[in-house]
Amino acid sequence: MHPVDEFAALRTSIRAMEARAAVLRQLFLDRGVPFRSNQHEVFVRHQTRRVFRKDRLPPEILANDLLWEEVSSPIVTVAIMTDAGTPPRVRKATFLDEEPVLTEPF
């Protein structure tokens, strides 16, 4: 299998597994399924954290260029090729542009 095709297939599999994991996670949060099987146990706990409220900063702080830095990150994309050889759509394939997946340590 060509590395590009393998990469696209892996990204598809990962999205499917993450979607299934999200459904199962919600079942545990809703207490819709038992938390224990013969081999594993799920624990749900609540964690608090501090959140910085950038929206409460005064405009002069937000507009100060000395407080901002521009960074560059590599972005890998995958496109399905048409018969003409042009990609009809481009799908981002990097964690940098996807919704974050938050997992709780157990």
Side-chain angles (χ1 to χ4, degrees):
M1 178 182 288
H2 192 282
V4 171
D5 297 331
E6 183 180 6
F7 184 72
L10 285 171
R11 295 300 301 168
T12 299
S13 296
I14 289 169
R15 277 191 295 279
M17 287 187 284
E18 286 176 343
R20 180 62 182 149
V23 168
L24 292 171
R25 181 181 184 278
Q26 192 59 50
L27 286 173
F28 295 128
L29 293 176
D30 295 342
R31 301 192 180 277
V33 293
F35 283 17
R36 183 181 288 185
S37 71
N38 292 335
Q39 298 178 0
H40 298 91
E41 185 172 7
V42 168
F43 299 93
V44 177
R45 66 181 176 86
H46 292 272
Q47 178 175 320
T48 58
R49 62 186 172 92
R50 290 177 54 169
V51 178
F52 184 73
R53 298 289 309 265
K54 186 175 93 171
D55 59 318
R56 293 186 179 177
L57 289 174
E60 57 273 10
I61 300 270
L62 291 172
N64 188 338
D65 288 337
L66 295 174
L67 301 175
W68 293 91
E69 179 181 3
E70 191 170 297
V71 296
S72 175
S73 301
I75 305 295
V76 178
T77 59
V78 177
I80 299 170
M81 300 300 290
T82 65
D83 291 336
T86 58
R89 66 176 199 250
V90 175
R91 181 176 295 165
K92 300 240 186 235
T94 175
F95 70 92
L96 299 172
D97 293 322
E98 295 176 355
E99 283 292 317
V101 176
L102 302 177
T103 58
E104 296 82 14
F106 54 93

